[in-house]
Amino acid sequence: QVHLVESGGGLVQAGGSLRLSCAASGRTLSSYAMGWFRQASGKEREFVAGMVWSGGSTNYADSVKGRFTISRDNAKNIVYLQMNSLKPEDTAVYYCAAVTSLKYYSNYGARTSYDYWGQGTQVTVSS
Protein backbone atom coordinates (compact mmCIF):
# COMPACT_ATOMS: atom_id res chain seq x y z
CA GLN A 1 0.00 0.00 0.00
CA VAL A 2 1.19 3.49 -0.87
CA HIS A 3 -0.36 6.51 0.82
CA LEU A 4 -0.22 9.85 -1.01
CA VAL A 5 -1.03 13.32 0.26
CA GLU A 6 -0.90 16.38 -2.00
CA SER A 7 -0.48 19.97 -0.93
CA GLY A 8 0.45 23.34 -2.38
CA GLY A 9 -2.57 24.20 -4.46
CA GLY A 10 -4.18 27.61 -4.43
CA LEU A 11 -5.22 30.66 -6.41
CA VAL A 12 -2.66 32.37 -8.63
CA GLN A 13 -2.75 34.91 -11.42
CA ALA A 14 -1.92 33.96 -14.98
CA GLY A 15 1.83 33.96 -15.49
CA GLY A 16 2.48 33.03 -11.88
CA SER A 17 3.95 29.92 -10.31
CA LEU A 18 2.99 27.25 -7.81
CA ARG A 19 4.76 24.22 -6.45
CA LEU A 20 2.72 21.16 -5.59
CA SER A 21 4.01 18.52 -3.21
CA CYS A 22 3.07 14.89 -2.86
CA ALA A 23 4.18 13.15 0.32
CA ALA A 24 4.42 9.40 -0.16
CA SER A 25 4.52 6.71 2.49
CA GLY A 26 4.07 2.98 2.72
CA ARG A 27 5.94 0.56 0.51
CA THR A 28 9.49 1.00 -0.62
CA LEU A 29 9.21 3.58 -3.34
CA SER A 30 12.31 2.62 -5.31
CA SER A 31 10.25 0.18 -7.39
CA TYR A 32 7.52 2.71 -8.11
CA ALA A 33 6.89 5.56 -10.47
CA MET A 34 4.98 8.72 -9.70
CA GLY A 35 2.61 10.67 -11.84
CA TRP A 36 0.74 13.95 -11.67
CA PHE A 37 -2.70 14.14 -13.24
CA ARG A 38 -5.29 16.88 -13.35
CA GLN A 39 -9.01 17.05 -13.82
CA ALA A 40 -10.78 20.21 -14.84
CA SER A 41 -14.47 20.64 -14.19
CA GLY A 42 -16.48 18.56 -16.64
CA LYS A 43 -13.42 16.98 -18.22
CA GLU A 44 -11.56 13.70 -18.05
CA ARG A 45 -8.60 13.27 -15.74
CA GLU A 46 -5.46 13.75 -17.80
CA PHE A 47 -1.77 12.98 -17.42
CA VAL A 48 0.46 15.95 -16.66
CA ALA A 49 3.91 14.63 -15.71
CA GLY A 50 5.61 11.51 -14.44
CA MET A 51 8.89 9.97 -13.41
CA VAL A 52 10.32 6.74 -12.10
CA TRP A 53 11.23 7.10 -8.45
CA SER A 54 14.67 5.54 -8.88
CA GLY A 55 15.62 8.18 -11.42
CA GLY A 56 15.90 8.42 -15.14
CA SER A 57 13.78 10.21 -17.65
CA THR A 58 10.75 12.33 -16.98
CA ASN A 59 7.62 12.54 -19.08
CA TYR A 60 5.30 15.46 -19.71
CA ALA A 61 2.08 16.22 -21.49
CA ASP A 62 2.62 18.45 -24.49
CA SER A 63 0.45 21.14 -22.92
CA VAL A 64 2.87 21.63 -20.00
CA LYS A 65 6.27 20.96 -21.55
CA GLY A 66 8.69 23.76 -20.83
CA ARG A 67 6.47 25.14 -18.05
CA PHE A 68 6.13 22.31 -15.50
CA THR A 69 8.87 20.27 -13.88
CA ILE A 70 8.52 17.07 -11.87
CA SER A 71 11.17 16.21 -9.30
CA ARG A 72 11.61 14.23 -6.12
CA ASP A 73 13.30 14.40 -2.74
CA ASN A 74 14.46 10.90 -1.86
CA ALA A 75 15.20 11.71 1.75
CA LYS A 76 11.72 13.10 2.38
CA ASN A 77 9.77 10.81 0.03
CA ILE A 78 8.19 13.82 -1.63
CA VAL A 79 7.45 14.38 -5.31
CA TYR A 80 7.09 17.94 -6.52
CA LEU A 81 5.42 19.56 -9.48
CA GLN A 82 6.84 23.00 -10.15
CA MET A 83 4.40 24.93 -12.30
CA ASN A 84 5.55 28.12 -13.99
CA SER A 85 3.91 30.46 -16.50
CA LEU A 86 0.52 29.26 -15.40
CA LYS A 87 -2.47 29.76 -17.67
CA PRO A 88 -6.20 29.83 -16.90
CA GLU A 89 -6.52 26.51 -18.73
CA ASP A 90 -4.26 24.93 -16.08
CA THR A 91 -7.11 25.34 -13.59
CA ALA A 92 -7.99 21.90 -12.25
CA VAL A 93 -7.78 19.54 -9.32
CA TYR A 94 -4.28 18.06 -9.38
CA TYR A 95 -3.72 14.49 -8.26
CA CYS A 96 -0.61 12.57 -7.39
CA ALA A 97 -0.55 8.89 -8.29
CA ALA A 98 1.77 5.90 -7.92
CA VAL A 99 2.32 2.79 -9.99
CA THR A 100 4.97 0.09 -10.24
CA SER A 101 7.82 1.04 -12.56
CA LEU A 102 6.97 -1.84 -14.89
CA LYS A 103 3.43 -0.62 -15.45
CA TYR A 104 4.64 2.96 -15.78
CA TYR A 105 6.92 2.07 -18.68
CA SER A 106 4.05 0.20 -20.30
CA ASN A 107 1.68 3.16 -20.38
CA TYR A 108 2.57 6.08 -18.12
CA GLY A 109 -0.05 8.36 -19.57
CA ALA A 110 -3.06 6.21 -18.81
CA ARG A 111 -5.03 6.95 -15.67
CA THR A 112 -5.97 3.28 -15.39
CA SER A 113 -2.30 2.28 -15.09
CA TYR A 114 -1.99 3.80 -11.62
CA ASP A 115 -2.82 1.92 -8.45
CA TYR A 116 -2.67 4.59 -5.76
CA TRP A 117 -4.06 8.12 -5.69
CA GLY A 118 -3.99 11.12 -3.42
CA GLN A 119 -7.04 13.17 -2.54
CA GLY A 120 -6.18 16.02 -4.92
CA THR A 121 -5.41 19.70 -4.52
CA GLN A 122 -7.18 22.56 -6.29
CA VAL A 123 -5.23 24.90 -8.55
CA THR A 124 -7.04 27.96 -9.86
CA VAL A 125 -5.41 30.34 -12.32
CA SER A 126 -7.16 33.66 -12.81
CA SER A 127 -6.85 35.69 -16.00
Side-chain angles (χ1 to χ4, degrees):
Q1 190 79 8
V2 177
H3 186 57
L4 304 170
V5 179
E6 303 98 332
S7 61
L11 173 65
V12 64
Q13 288 188 328
S17 298
L18 279 175
R19 188 178 77 163
L20 306 183
S21 300
C22 173
S25 61
R27 293 191 173 189
T28 301
L29 296 173
S30 59
S31 61
Y32 279 79
M34 306 298 293
W36 283 99
F37 284 74
R38 66 186 182 187
Q39 188 166 15
S41 180
K43 296 188 176 182
E44 295 286 319
R45 191 171 300 189
E46 64 176 1
F47 173 80
V48 174
M51 68 181 300
V52 177
W53 191 270
S54 60
S57 63
T58 54
N59 303 96
Y60 296 94
D62 288 342
S63 59
V64 306
K65 279 181 182 177
R67 300 189 298 123
F68 290 11
T69 303
I70 187 171
S71 63
R72 75 199 187 289
D73 184 324
N74 283 333
K76 297 180 179 180
N77 282 355
I78 295 177
V79 175
Y80 299 103
L81 184 68
Q82 178 66 44
M83 306 185 296
N84 298 328
S85 302
L86 283 162
K87 305 175 182 180
E89 51 262 45
D90 294 317
T91 295
V93 177
Y94 283 71
Y95 297 90
C96 175
V99 63
T100 60
S101 298
L102 186 62
K103 291 172 67 176
Y104 179 86
Y105 287 126
S106 176
N107 193 351
Y108 62 80
R111 174 178 57 84
T112 53
S113 294
Y114 293 76
D115 300 311
Y116 304 101
W117 293 85
Q119 82 286 352
T121 185
Q122 176 70 47
V123 171
T124 303
V125 184
S126 63
S127 57

